[in-house]
Amino acid sequence: MTTTSHFSLVLETPAAKPEEAYHHFLTKLSVETDAADVRLDLQRGQQSFLLVDARSAQDFEECHIPGAINLPYRKITAASTAHLSKEKPLIVYCWSPGCNAATKAAVRLSALGFQVKEMIGGLEYWRREGGEVEGTLGEQAPLVN
């Protein structure tokens, strides 16, 4: 039997005004992208951004997105990024939605003056959507660490 409640958990906090929602979601898109968009851009030959894997060197060696560079978030400094152009946005990723290495990398890179977007879903969603990987384990690598 279905009962009707006069209280909504969804609307306990009222929805934002349209203009507030617009600015929120526009801001969110300015710092995030997804695996599908990255993959399609790469398939189309886009070279307007640099893909950065924020996981450890060993994880990168075992499995990564072709064309990505490895820049473990713990090692991001002015010295370790001196060879990178600040003119090209960096797209950072890590393992999965349960991993925050990409977020930590984005914080450090943006503090150093880089334009950064995080690829939400990470390597897990890249692979789930059919994205190619390379490395010593390649497709045999675990989806998450």
Side-chain angles (χ1 to χ4, degrees):
M1 174 181 223
T2 304
T3 59
T4 303
S5 171
H6 296 288
F7 174 77
S8 169
L9 294 171
V10 172
L11 297 176
E12 180 178 15
T13 301
K17 294 178 183 174
E19 56 275 3
E20 293 169 347
Y22 171 80
H23 290 291
H24 167 79
F25 291 114
L26 184 61
T27 298
K28 185 176 178 179
L29 288 171
S30 74
V31 295
E32 292 180 351
T33 189
D34 65 18
D37 288 349
V38 172
R39 184 171 173 230
L40 187 56
D41 266 5
L42 293 176
Q43 287 174 339
R44 292 178 174 171
Q46 269 294 325
Q47 296 179 358
S48 56
F49 58 84
L50 179 61
L51 198 53
V52 176
D53 187 317
R55 300 171 307 137
S56 72
Q58 179 180 340
D59 291 334
F60 179 82
E61 183 179 320
E62 291 174 354
C63 181
H64 60 271
I65 299 171
I69 66 164
N70 183 227
L71 193 56
Y73 81 90
R74 287 187 177 104
K75 296 183 178 185
I76 294 174
T77 63
S80 69
T81 59
H83 67 287
L84 300 175
S85 169
K86 291 187 178 174
E87 302 303 313
K88 190 181 271 196
L90 305 177
I91 310 303
V92 295
Y93 73 89
C94 58
W95 280 104
S96 68
C99 173
N100 66 3
T103 305
K104 291 175 180 179
V107 167
R108 292 178 183 208
L109 290 164
S110 60
L112 291 170
F114 291 94
Q115 296 175 34
V116 186
K117 283 193 173 201
E118 181 178 3
M119 186 178 83
I120 57 174
L123 188 57
E124 177 185 355
Y125 277 73
W126 173 269
R127 290 174 65 189
R128 285 179 186 264
E129 295 184 22
E132 293 181 19
V133 293
E134 60 187 18
T136 58
L137 295 180
E139 294 292 336
Q140 304 308 311
L143 280 178
V144 294
N145 187 11

Coordinates of all heavy atoms in Angstrom, one line a residue, residues 52-109:
V52 N 46.7 14.2 -17.5 CA 47.6 13.9 -16.4 C 47.1 12.9 -15.5 O 46.0 13.0 -14.9 CB 47.9 15.2 -15.6 CG1 48.8 14.9 -14.4 CG2 48.5 16.3 -16.5
D53 N 47.8 11.8 -15.3 CA 47.5 10.7 -14.4 C 48.1 11.0 -13.1 O 49.3 11.2 -13.0 CB 48.0 9.4 -14.9 CG 47.6 8.2 -14.2 OD1 47.6 8.2 -12.9 OD2 47.3 7.2 -14.8
A54 N 47.3 11.2 -12.0 CA 47.8 11.7 -10.7 C 48.1 10.5 -9.8 O 48.4 10.7 -8.6 CB 46.7 12.6 -10.1
R55 N 48.1 9.3 -10.3 CA 48.4 8.1 -9.4 C 49.9 7.9 -9.3 O 50.7 8.6 -9.9 CB 47.7 6.9 -10.0 CG 46.2 7.0 -10.1 CD 45.5 5.9 -10.9 NE 46.1 5.7 -12.2 CZ 46.4 4.6 -12.8 NH1 46.2 3.4 -12.1 NH2 47.0 4.5 -14.0
S56 N 50.3 6.9 -8.6 CA 51.7 6.6 -8.4 C 52.3 6.1 -9.7 O 51.7 5.7 -10.7 CB 51.9 5.5 -7.4 OG 51.5 4.2 -7.9
A57 N 53.7 6.2 -9.7 CA 54.4 5.8 -10.9 C 54.2 4.3 -11.3 O 54.0 4.0 -12.4 CB 55.9 6.1 -10.7
Q58 N 54.1 3.5 -10.2 CA 53.8 2.1 -10.5 C 52.5 1.8 -11.1 O 52.3 1.1 -12.0 CB 54.0 1.3 -9.2 CG 53.7 -0.2 -9.4 CD 53.8 -1.0 -8.1 OE1 54.5 -0.6 -7.1 NE2 53.2 -2.2 -8.1
D59 N 51.4 2.5 -10.5 CA 50.1 2.3 -11.1 C 50.0 2.8 -12.5 O 49.4 2.2 -13.4 CB 49.1 3.1 -10.2 CG 48.9 2.5 -8.8 OD1 49.1 1.3 -8.7 OD2 48.5 3.3 -7.9
F60 N 50.7 3.9 -12.8 CA 50.7 4.5 -14.1 C 51.4 3.5 -15.1 O 51.0 3.2 -16.2 CB 51.5 5.8 -14.2 CG 51.6 6.4 -15.5 CD1 50.6 7.1 -16.1 CD2 52.8 6.3 -16.3 CE1 50.7 7.7 -17.3 CE2 52.9 6.8 -17.5 CZ 51.8 7.6 -18.1
E61 N 52.5 2.9 -14.6 CA 53.3 2.0 -15.5 C 52.4 0.7 -15.8 O 52.5 0.2 -16.9 CB 54.6 1.5 -14.7 CG 55.4 0.6 -15.6 CD 56.7 0.1 -14.8 OE1 57.3 1.0 -14.1 OE2 57.0 -1.0 -14.9
E62 N 51.6 0.3 -14.9 CA 50.8 -0.9 -15.1 C 49.6 -0.6 -16.0 O 49.2 -1.5 -16.8 CB 50.3 -1.4 -13.7 CG 51.4 -2.0 -12.9 CD 51.0 -2.4 -11.5 OE1 49.8 -2.1 -11.1 OE2 51.8 -3.0 -10.8
C63 N 49.0 0.6 -15.9 CA 47.8 0.9 -16.7 C 47.5 2.4 -16.7 O 47.4 3.0 -15.7 CB 46.6 0.1 -16.1 SG 45.1 0.3 -17.0
H64 N 47.4 2.9 -17.9 CA 47.1 4.3 -18.0 C 46.5 4.6 -19.4 O 46.5 3.8 -20.3 CB 48.3 5.2 -17.8 CG 49.4 5.0 -18.8 ND1 50.4 4.0 -18.6 CD2 49.7 5.5 -20.0 CE1 51.2 4.0 -19.6 NE2 50.8 4.9 -20.5
I65 N 45.9 5.8 -19.5 CA 45.3 6.2 -20.8 C 46.4 6.6 -21.8 O 47.3 7.4 -21.4 CB 44.4 7.4 -20.6 CG1 43.2 7.0 -19.6 CG2 43.8 7.9 -21.9 CD1 42.3 8.1 -19.2
P66 N 46.4 6.1 -23.0 CA 47.4 6.5 -24.0 C 47.5 8.0 -24.1 O 46.5 8.7 -24.2 CB 47.0 5.8 -25.2 CG 46.1 4.6 -24.8 CD 45.4 5.1 -23.5
G67 N 48.8 8.5 -24.1 CA 49.0 9.9 -24.3 C 49.1 10.7 -23.0 O 49.5 11.8 -22.9
A68 N 48.7 10.0 -21.9 CA 48.7 10.7 -20.6 C 50.2 10.8 -20.1 O 51.0 9.9 -20.4 CB 47.8 10.0 -19.5
I69 N 50.4 11.8 -19.2 CA 51.7 11.8 -18.5 C 51.4 11.5 -17.1 O 50.3 11.6 -16.6 CB 52.4 13.2 -18.7 CG1 51.6 14.3 -17.9 CG2 52.7 13.5 -20.1 CD1 52.4 15.6 -17.7
N70 N 52.4 11.0 -16.4 CA 52.3 10.7 -15.0 C 52.9 11.8 -14.1 O 54.0 12.2 -14.3 CB 53.0 9.4 -14.7 CG 52.9 8.9 -13.2 OD1 53.8 8.5 -12.6 ND2 51.6 8.9 -12.7
L71 N 52.0 12.3 -13.2 CA 52.5 13.3 -12.3 C 51.8 13.0 -10.9 O 50.7 13.5 -10.7 CB 52.0 14.7 -12.8 CG 52.6 15.9 -12.1 CD1 54.2 15.9 -12.1 CD2 52.1 17.2 -12.8
P72 N 52.4 12.1 -10.1 CA 51.7 11.7 -8.9 C 51.5 13.0 -8.0 O 52.4 13.8 -7.9 CB 52.8 10.8 -8.2 CG 53.6 10.3 -9.4 CD 53.6 11.4 -10.4
Y73 N 50.3 13.1 -7.5 CA 49.9 14.3 -6.8 C 50.8 14.7 -5.7 O 51.0 15.9 -5.4 CB 48.4 14.2 -6.3 CG 48.2 13.5 -5.1 CD1 48.2 14.1 -3.8 CD2 47.9 12.1 -5.1 CE1 48.0 13.4 -2.7 CE2 47.7 11.4 -3.9 CZ 47.8 12.1 -2.7 OH 47.6 11.4 -1.5
R74 N 51.4 13.7 -5.0 CA 52.2 14.0 -3.9 C 53.6 14.7 -4.3 O 54.3 15.3 -3.5 CB 52.6 12.8 -3.1 CG 51.4 12.2 -2.2 CD 51.9 11.1 -1.4 NE 50.8 10.6 -0.5 CZ 50.1 9.5 -0.7 NH1 50.3 8.8 -1.8 NH2 49.1 9.2 0.1
K75 N 53.9 14.5 -5.6 CA 55.2 15.0 -6.1 C 55.0 16.3 -6.9 O 55.9 16.8 -7.5 CB 55.8 14.0 -6.9 CG 56.2 12.8 -6.1 CD 57.0 11.7 -6.9 CE 57.3 10.6 -6.0 NZ 58.1 9.6 -6.7
I76 N 53.8 16.9 -6.9 CA 53.5 18.1 -7.7 C 54.1 19.3 -6.9 O 53.7 19.7 -5.8 CB 52.0 18.3 -7.9 CG1 51.5 17.2 -8.8 CG2 51.8 19.7 -8.5 CD1 50.0 17.2 -9.0
T77 N 55.1 19.9 -7.5 CA 55.7 21.2 -7.0 C 56.0 22.1 -8.2 O 55.9 21.7 -9.4 CB 57.1 20.8 -6.3 OG1 58.0 20.3 -7.3 CG2 56.9 19.8 -5.2
A78 N 56.5 23.3 -7.9 CA 56.9 24.2 -9.0 C 58.0 23.5 -9.8 O 58.0 23.6 -11.0 CB 57.3 25.5 -8.4
A79 N 58.9 22.9 -9.2 CA 60.0 22.2 -9.9 C 59.6 21.1 -10.7 O 60.0 20.9 -11.9 CB 61.1 21.8 -8.9
S80 N 58.7 20.2 -10.2 CA 58.3 19.0 -11.0 C 57.3 19.4 -12.1 O 57.1 18.6 -13.0 CB 57.6 18.0 -10.1 OG 56.3 18.5 -9.6
T81 N 56.8 20.6 -12.1 CA 55.9 21.0 -13.2 C 56.5 22.1 -14.1 O 55.8 22.6 -15.0 CB 54.6 21.5 -12.6 OG1 54.8 22.7 -11.8 CG2 53.8 20.5 -11.9
A82 N 57.8 22.4 -13.9 CA 58.4 23.5 -14.6 C 58.4 23.3 -16.1 O 58.4 24.2 -16.9 CB 59.8 23.7 -14.1
H83 N 58.4 22.0 -16.6 CA 58.4 21.7 -18.0 C 57.1 21.8 -18.7 O 57.0 21.7 -19.9 CB 59.0 20.3 -18.2 CG 58.1 19.2 -17.6 ND1 57.9 19.0 -16.3 CD2 57.3 18.3 -18.2 CE1 57.1 18.0 -16.1 NE2 56.7 17.6 -17.3
L84 N 56.0 22.0 -17.9 CA 54.7 22.1 -18.4 C 54.2 23.5 -18.8 O 54.6 24.4 -18.0 CB 53.6 21.5 -17.4 CG 53.9 20.0 -17.0 CD1 52.9 19.7 -15.9 CD2 53.7 19.1 -18.2
S85 N 53.5 23.6 -19.9 CA 53.0 24.9 -20.3 C 51.8 25.3 -19.5 O 50.9 24.5 -19.3 CB 52.7 24.9 -21.8 OG 51.9 26.0 -22.1
K86 N 51.7 26.5 -19.1 CA 50.5 27.0 -18.4 C 49.5 27.5 -19.4 O 48.4 27.9 -19.0 CB 50.9 28.1 -17.4 CG 51.7 27.5 -16.2 CD 52.0 28.5 -15.1 CE 52.7 27.8 -14.0 NZ 53.1 28.7 -12.9
E87 N 49.8 27.4 -20.6 CA 48.9 27.8 -21.7 C 47.9 26.7 -22.0 O 46.8 27.0 -22.6 CB 49.6 28.2 -22.9 CG 50.6 29.4 -22.7 CD 50.0 30.6 -22.1 OE1 48.9 31.0 -22.6 OE2 50.5 31.1 -21.1
K88 N 48.2 25.5 -21.7 CA 47.4 24.4 -22.1 C 46.7 23.8 -20.8 O 47.4 23.4 -19.9 CB 48.2 23.3 -22.8 CG 47.5 22.2 -23.4 CD 48.4 21.1 -24.0 CE 48.7 21.5 -25.5 NZ 49.2 20.4 -26.2
P89 N 45.4 23.7 -20.8 CA 44.7 23.2 -19.6 C 45.1 21.7 -19.4 O 45.4 21.0 -20.3 CB 43.2 23.2 -20.0 CG 43.1 24.3 -21.0 CD 44.4 24.2 -21.8
L90 N 45.2 21.4 -18.1 CA 45.5 20.0 -17.7 C 44.2 19.3 -17.3 O 43.4 19.8 -16.5 CB 46.5 20.1 -16.5 CG 47.8 20.9 -16.7 CD1 48.6 20.9 -15.5 CD2 48.6 20.3 -17.9
I91 N 44.1 18.1 -17.7 CA 42.9 17.2 -17.4 C 43.5 16.1 -16.5 O 44.3 15.3 -17.0 CB 42.2 16.7 -18.6 CG1 41.9 17.7 -19.6 CG2 41.0 15.9 -18.1 CD1 41.0 18.9 -19.1
V92 N 43.1 16.1 -15.2 CA 43.7 15.2 -14.3 C 42.7 14.1 -14.0 O 41.5 14.2 -14.0 CB 44.1 15.9 -12.9 CG1 45.2 16.9 -13.2 CG2 42.9 16.6 -12.3
Y93 N 43.3 12.9 -13.8 CA 42.5 11.7 -13.4 C 43.2 10.8 -12.4 O 44.4 10.9 -12.3 CB 42.0 10.9 -14.6 CG 43.1 10.1 -15.3 CD1 43.3 8.8 -14.9 CD2 43.8 10.6 -16.4 CE1 44.3 8.0 -15.6 CE2 44.8 9.9 -17.0 CZ 45.0 8.6 -16.6 OH 46.0 7.8 -17.2
C94 N 42.4 10.0 -11.7 CA 43.0 9.0 -10.9 C 42.2 7.7 -11.1 O 41.8 7.4 -12.2 CB 43.1 9.4 -9.4 SG 41.5 9.9 -8.7
W95 N 42.1 6.8 -10.1 CA 41.5 5.5 -10.2 C 40.0 5.6 -10.6 O 39.6 5.0 -11.5 CB 41.6 4.7 -8.9 CG 42.9 4.1 -8.7 CD1 43.9 4.5 -7.9 CD2 43.4 3.0 -9.4 NE1 45.0 3.7 -8.0 CE2 44.7 2.7 -8.9 CE3 42.9 2.1 -10.3 CZ2 45.5 1.7 -9.3 CZ3 43.7 1.0 -10.8 CH2 45.0 0.8 -10.3
S96 N 39.2 6.2 -9.7 CA 37.7 6.1 -9.8 C 37.0 7.2 -9.0 O 37.7 8.0 -8.4 CB 37.4 4.7 -9.2 OG 37.6 4.7 -7.8
P97 N 35.7 7.1 -8.9 CA 35.0 8.1 -8.1 C 35.4 8.0 -6.6 O 35.2 9.0 -5.9 CB 33.5 7.8 -8.3 CG 33.5 7.1 -9.6 CD 34.8 6.3 -9.7
G98 N 35.9 6.9 -6.2 CA 36.3 6.7 -4.8 C 37.7 7.1 -4.5 O 38.2 7.0 -3.4
C99 N 38.4 7.7 -5.5 CA 39.8 8.1 -5.3 C 39.8 9.7 -5.4 O 39.1 10.3 -6.3 CB 40.6 7.5 -6.5 SG 42.3 8.1 -6.5
N100 N 40.6 10.3 -4.6 CA 40.6 11.8 -4.6 C 42.0 12.3 -5.0 O 42.3 13.5 -4.8 CB 40.2 12.4 -3.3 CG 41.0 12.1 -2.1 OD1 42.1 11.5 -2.2 ND2 40.6 12.6 -1.0
A101 N 42.9 11.4 -5.6 CA 44.2 11.9 -6.0 C 44.1 12.9 -7.1 O 44.9 13.9 -7.1 CB 45.0 10.7 -6.5
A102 N 43.1 12.8 -8.0 CA 43.0 13.8 -9.0 C 42.5 15.2 -8.4 O 43.0 16.2 -8.9 CB 41.9 13.4 -10.1
T103 N 41.7 15.1 -7.4 CA 41.3 16.4 -6.8 C 42.4 17.0 -6.1 O 42.6 18.2 -6.2 CB 40.1 16.1 -5.8 OG1 39.1 15.4 -6.4 CG2 39.6 17.4 -5.1
K104 N 43.2 16.2 -5.4 CA 44.4 16.7 -4.7 C 45.4 17.3 -5.7 O 46.0 18.3 -5.5 CB 45.1 15.7 -3.9 CG 44.2 15.3 -2.7 CD 44.9 14.1 -1.9 CE 44.0 13.7 -0.7 NZ 44.6 12.6 0.0
A105 N 45.6 16.6 -6.9 CA 46.4 17.1 -7.9 C 45.9 18.5 -8.5 O 46.7 19.4 -8.7 CB 46.6 16.1 -9.1
A106 N 44.6 18.5 -8.7 CA 44.0 19.8 -9.2 C 44.2 20.9 -8.3 O 44.5 22.1 -8.7 CB 42.5 19.5 -9.4
V107 N 44.1 20.7 -7.0 CA 44.4 21.7 -6.0 C 45.8 22.2 -6.1 O 46.1 23.4 -6.2 CB 44.1 21.2 -4.5 CG1 44.7 22.2 -3.5 CG2 42.6 21.0 -4.3
R108 N 46.8 21.3 -6.2 CA 48.2 21.7 -6.2 C 48.5 22.4 -7.5 O 49.2 23.4 -7.6 CB 49.1 20.5 -6.0 CG 49.0 19.9 -4.6 CD 49.8 18.7 -4.4 NE 49.6 18.2 -3.0 CZ 50.5 17.5 -2.4 NH1 51.6 17.2 -2.9 NH2 50.2 17.1 -1.2
L109 N 48.0 21.9 -8.6 CA 48.3 22.4 -9.9 C 47.7 23.8 -10.1 O 48.3 24.7 -10.6 CB 47.8 21.5 -11.1 CG 48.6 20.2 -11.2 CD1 47.8 19.2 -12.0 CD2 50.0 20.5 -11.8

